[in-house]
Amino acid sequence: MKYNYIFGPVPSRRLGLSLGVDLVRHKTCTLDCIYCECGPTTNLTLKREAYVPFDEVKAELAHYFEHHPDPDYVTFSGSGEPTLSPDIGRVIDFIKEKKSKIRVAVLTNATLLSDPDVRKDLNRADLVMPSLDAVTPQTFEKINRPSRQLDIHQVIDGLKAFGASFKGEIWLEVFILPGVNDAEKELEILKDIIRDINPARVQLNTLDRPGAVPGLTPASKQDLERVAGIIDADNVEIIARVKDLASGDHISDEKMEAMVMETIHRRPCTIDDLTAALNIEKGKLEILMKRLILEDKIESVQQERGMFYQTIKDPLRN
Ligand code: SF4
């Protein structure tokens, strides 16, 4: 069966093996962020409507579940804003009915959380990853270029209401662009808002690939550390790890080993899977995998899609 609305699964360090679901058409979004890696928004809208047919999404998921091992997560993401679909709650319900053990994550730009229906739709998700890059109208305009009817204060109130009612985990992502949204004053306000939303994690990210607007500068590690210092919460983490590599910083062998072991402990992976998930050079990974095999920490298994690496199970524990 050819899938049109589900994609992957892709291994990721944060979620394990994650199957993606895209409920809107390409670049249908409430925002037109200057850093968007999918390019400019072609349908800037606040209208919740069935952009893709619910029955077909359901059929694809049912087919996938029947013919593949379970992923760790089903993640609503893609190249637009998933809460624009009024079917998102029904699709989450369907996944939970079919596969109650698979965790459900939703990546959202948070702009529709002021709508009680949207908050209700997301209630059965296990993890919601909203983003909040601006806390003043000027910065909101500059970085997120929102649909005209959107008001940043309303968005923030929606996030706070969601934080107060949601039983799952919230990981709040803040995308930092130096000179655009990292002024101290802005970050001080953000700090208070984060306290009210009370997310389990605050994740700082920055540009990895070219955005919708040319010439943007990614934040450096130092920039992100400065932001983390101002937000000053125990649960702030810099997830833009890839920038260390892109900027030529060296990742230590111990760190690389820990990242690989953590990833393949959840699910066997090929070298290509690991390269995509961890952004580590293939050559380095090949050397590391050979060493880990010699040290009896991992084993390799040939399968149809290639050579898979997995951690060696401790026989005393099984
Ligand atoms: S919210 Fe996400 S999909 Fe929409 S424009 Fe911003 S980065 Fe792109």
Side-chain angles (χ1 to χ4, degrees):
M1 179 178 197
K2 183 179 174 290
Y3 299 132
N4 293 311
Y5 310 111
I6 65 178
F7 55 93
V10 285
S12 90
R13 197 175 47 82
R14 293 188 291 168
L15 301 181
L17 199 70
S18 164
L19 179 72
V21 182
D22 197 351
L23 291 183
V24 294
R25 284 196 297 267
H26 185 75
K27 280 323 302 270
T28 297
C29 195
T30 56
L31 302 178
D32 183 18
C33 304
I34 57 173
Y35 60 77
C36 187
E37 292 173 352
C38 306
T41 296
T42 44
N43 186 14
L44 185 65
T45 180
L46 293 183
K47 193 164 174 213
R48 296 192 83 200
E49 67 174 67
Y51 294 96
V52 305
F54 172 64
D55 285 342
E56 288 182 32
V57 175
K58 234 170 57 168
E60 288 190 8
L61 281 166
H63 184 273
Y64 185 89
F65 292 150
E66 214 172 297
H67 295 90
H68 300 86
D70 290 352
D72 299 306
Y73 269 92
V74 173
T75 304
F76 290 83
S77 57
S79 59
E81 171 49 38
T83 60
L84 278 169
S85 165
D87 296 321
I88 188 165
R90 290 205 286 167
V91 181
I92 294 174
D93 286 347
F94 176 74
I95 296 164
K96 288 294 181 186
E97 272 156 32
K98 285 263 165 201
K99 292 275 179 185
S100 61
K101 291 215 171 80
I102 299 180
R103 290 171 63 79
V104 172
V106 180
L107 265 77
T108 172
N109 64 24
T111 49
L112 299 181
L113 289 176
S114 54
D115 178 344
D117 287 341
V118 174
R119 297 202 294 271
K120 197 166 145 227
D121 281 346
L122 300 192
N123 261 344
R124 285 194 74 193
D126 300 282
L127 172 65
V128 173
M129 302 163 87
S131 51
L132 180 67
D133 310 322
V135 291
T136 58
Q138 297 79 357
T139 309
F140 190 38
E141 190 56 48
K142 241 196 297 179
I143 190 164
N144 300 123
R145 300 189 300 186
S147 165
R148 264 193 295 140
Q149 301 96 304
L150 277 175
D151 175 305
I152 188 61
H153 302 298
Q154 223 176 324
V155 174
I156 292 167
D157 287 346
L159 259 168
K160 289 182 186 172
F162 186 66
S165 63
F166 185 55
K167 300 279 179 286
E169 276 201 15
I170 297 177
W171 297 358
L172 184 76
E173 181 172 314
V174 184
F175 199 96
I176 296 292
L177 286 177
V180 179
N181 67 337
D182 66 343
E184 186 158 350
K185 238 171 150 185
E186 180 98 15
L187 296 172
E188 287 289 351
I189 305 172
L190 177 66
K191 172 185 174 174
D192 293 340
I193 292 169
I194 288 175
R195 202 166 294 155
D196 289 344
I197 299 168
N198 193 23
R201 298 183 187 191
V202 181
Q203 305 193 308
L204 303 182
N205 206 352
T206 192
L207 210 60
D208 182 26
R209 300 184 189 116
V213 165
L216 299 172
T217 316
S220 66
K221 201 171 168 203
Q222 289 75 7
D223 292 330
L224 295 175
E225 281 168 356
R226 175 186 152 264
V227 173
I230 296 175
I231 291 174
D232 186 30
D234 295 341
N235 55 358
V236 185
E237 55 189 2
I238 294 173
I239 59 164
R241 185 201 306 265
V242 283
K243 296 320 151 304
D244 290 6
L245 302 174
S247 63
D249 287 0
H250 289 296
I251 185 166
S252 69
D253 285 352
E254 294 80 50
K255 193 168 170 187
M256 190 169 25
E257 178 176 333
M259 286 160 66
V260 166
M261 291 300 281
E262 189 189 327
T263 307
I264 65 174
H265 184 67
R266 288 203 199 99
R267 184 79 54 172
C269 290
T270 64
I271 295 257
D272 286 341
D273 292 339
L274 289 167
T275 307
L278 306 175
N279 198 28
I280 296 174
E281 266 174 46
K282 201 170 173 175
K284 282 188 181 173
L285 275 172
E286 283 167 349
I287 294 168
L288 173 68
M289 301 321 259
K290 274 187 198 146
R291 174 169 69 75
L292 293 176
I293 286 180
L294 284 174
E295 290 173 0
D296 278 339
K297 290 181 177 165
I298 65 169
E299 60 193 357
S300 58
V301 182
Q302 182 68 46
Q303 288 190 3
E304 208 183 311
R305 197 160 67 77
M307 186 69 80
F308 281 77
Y309 295 90
Q310 59 192 33
T311 48
I312 292 180
K313 307 230 172 1
D314 181 351
L316 298 176
R317 289 197 191 168
N318 292 327

